[in-house]
Amino acid sequence: MLISITLWMNSCTSSEKQMKFLPFEEEYTLAVEKTYMENVIAPDFILAKNGFLFVASSRSDSMLCQYSLPDLKLVRQGGTKGQSENQFALFPMFCRSMSDDVYIWGYSPLTIKRFSVNKDGKLYFRKKYTLPYYESFNQMHILHDSIFTYSSIPSEFAIKELNLNQGEEINKIRFETEGHGETYFYKERGFMSANEKYIVYVYFYKKQIDIYDAKTLKLHKRLKNDQKEPAIRIGDFEGNEHFYVNIVAGEERIYALCHEKDDYALEVFDYDGNPITKYKFDIVPFLFDIDERENILYGYNEEWEDYFLKCKLL
């Protein structure tokens, strides 16, 4: 049975679930370390897991590369475009997971493959999942090894959960849309990330973070200050005020990259919405992941196209 939860911004939210952004007691400006990037052109996605950084790049001849951590030395590469079983019909995208396994989409529009990783970093095929339909699959996650959780924006403005074992959609959060049909400029546009317990949605045009229970999809916490509805100029890709541009839901912390004035800051919260730390960087890691075991951020900024970025968080 599909349970559909519709999110409207003018709906009632209990005071115990909604809270204002509190000030950060700890703020740091950090210098990132640049490491030359071998064999990759313009990473699309990165994943820090099991002592390795996995990198997907649709522009590279080898679309999957693997680097040891923390030295970022290339250890493996592969993944070519093609129609055979082990080639990518499209391009590789990682499905984030709290498990030690690596999940990769893109072998076909309906295929996710699950791999285990040995101590040397070699991937061993474990299972193939076939999705029941195709739509926009963005910010993909696998929860509890069987729940496929993703943003279907812009095909449908929603976060969806699909049971991989049964091949059925089981849960959905719908977001309000607008009549003009220009989905990039919908005021509800944003990005999601998840762990086993929570789904987090951050808004591009609003200073707002919503934290949901991953099992029930009920709102757990909403961070939102008193603010006017955003005045969005359709077609203005650079001039509109914007806020959150990326997010990683870690095991115990939320890492959200937010635009503020003429800079960007990485805001770190717990899952009750309490502020932990704010970081600014000399080079902004727009694409990033966190090695939570070592508390190291790995990232990429296209203006420094030949380099990985690395920074020890405090």
Side-chain angles (χ1 to χ4, degrees), residues 221-232:
K221 289 290 181 181
R222 172 172 293 161
L223 298 178
K224 180 183 179 183
N225 291 338
D226 296 330
Q227 57 186 328
K228 296 179 181 179
E229 285 294 295
I232 302 170

Side-chain angles (χ1 to χ4, degrees), residues 196-212:
E196 304 279 65
K197 295 181 180 179
Y198 298 103
I199 296 172
V200 186
Y201 190 78
V202 296
Y203 290 76
F204 184 69
Y205 292 114
K206 304 178 186 181
K207 178 71 173 180
Q208 180 175 329
I209 299 176
D210 292 344
I211 305 169
Y212 296 91

Side-chain angles (χ1 to χ4, degrees), residues 153-155 157 176-190 204-205 232-237 240:
I153 297 172
S155 293
F157 256 61
E176 185 179 1
T177 58
E178 298 160 54
H180 56 70
E182 298 286 343
T183 58
Y184 185 90
F185 299 100
Y186 284 176
K187 64 183 179 182
E188 305 292 283
R189 182 171 176 261
F204 184 69
Y205 292 114
I232 302 170
R233 296 178 297 277
I234 297 172
D236 188 351
F237 287 92
N240 286 308

Side-chain angles (χ1 to χ4, degrees), residues 105-219:
W105 173 91
Y107 295 94
S108 83
L110 301 179
T111 301
I112 296 172
K113 291 186 178 181
R114 177 182 179 183
F115 300 88
S116 59
V117 186
N118 71 2
K119 292 181 179 180
D120 297 324
K122 187 174 181 180
L123 296 178
Y124 289 90
F125 173 76
R126 290 191 60 184
K127 191 171 184 178
K128 175 181 175 179
Y129 300 94
T130 301
L131 302 174
Y133 52 78
Y134 174 74
E135 61 177 340
S136 294
F137 298 128
N138 291 304
Q139 296 116 54
M140 293 180 283
H141 296 68
I142 306 291
L143 311 186
H144 305 289
D145 297 324
S146 62
I147 306 300
F148 180 48
T149 305
Y150 63 98
S151 166
S152 59
I153 297 172
S155 293
E156 181 179 354
F157 256 61
I159 295 171
K160 297 184 178 181
E161 289 189 337
L162 189 151
N163 188 308
L164 291 173
N165 295 328
Q166 300 172 0
E168 296 178 349
E169 186 179 308
I170 54 174
N171 261 342
K172 179 192 297 188
I173 302 172
R174 288 193 178 103
F175 296 90
E176 185 179 1
T177 58
E178 298 160 54
H180 56 70
E182 298 286 343
T183 58
Y184 185 90
F185 299 100
Y186 284 176
K187 64 183 179 182
E188 305 292 283
R189 182 171 176 261
F191 308 94
M192 62 83 63
S193 188
N195 65 12
E196 304 279 65
K197 295 181 180 179
Y198 298 103
I199 296 172
V200 186
Y201 190 78
V202 296
Y203 290 76
F204 184 69
Y205 292 114
K206 304 178 186 181
K207 178 71 173 180
Q208 180 175 329
I209 299 176
D210 292 344
I211 305 169
Y212 296 91
D213 183 289
K215 185 176 182 180
T216 65
L217 295 194
K218 291 182 179 180
L219 185 67

Side-chain angles (χ1 to χ4, degrees), residues 3 6 8 43 56 76 86 95 117 130 145 201 205 228 234 238 257 260 271 281 290 300 303:
I3 302 172
T6 303
W8 302 107
R76 284 182 182 79
N86 292 315
C95 302
V117 186
T130 301
D145 297 324
Y201 190 78
Y205 292 114
K228 296 179 181 179
I234 297 172
E238 296 183 359
L257 187 62
E260 51 179 41
Y271 284 95
F281 306 94
I290 308 292
Y300 175 74
E303 293 185 2

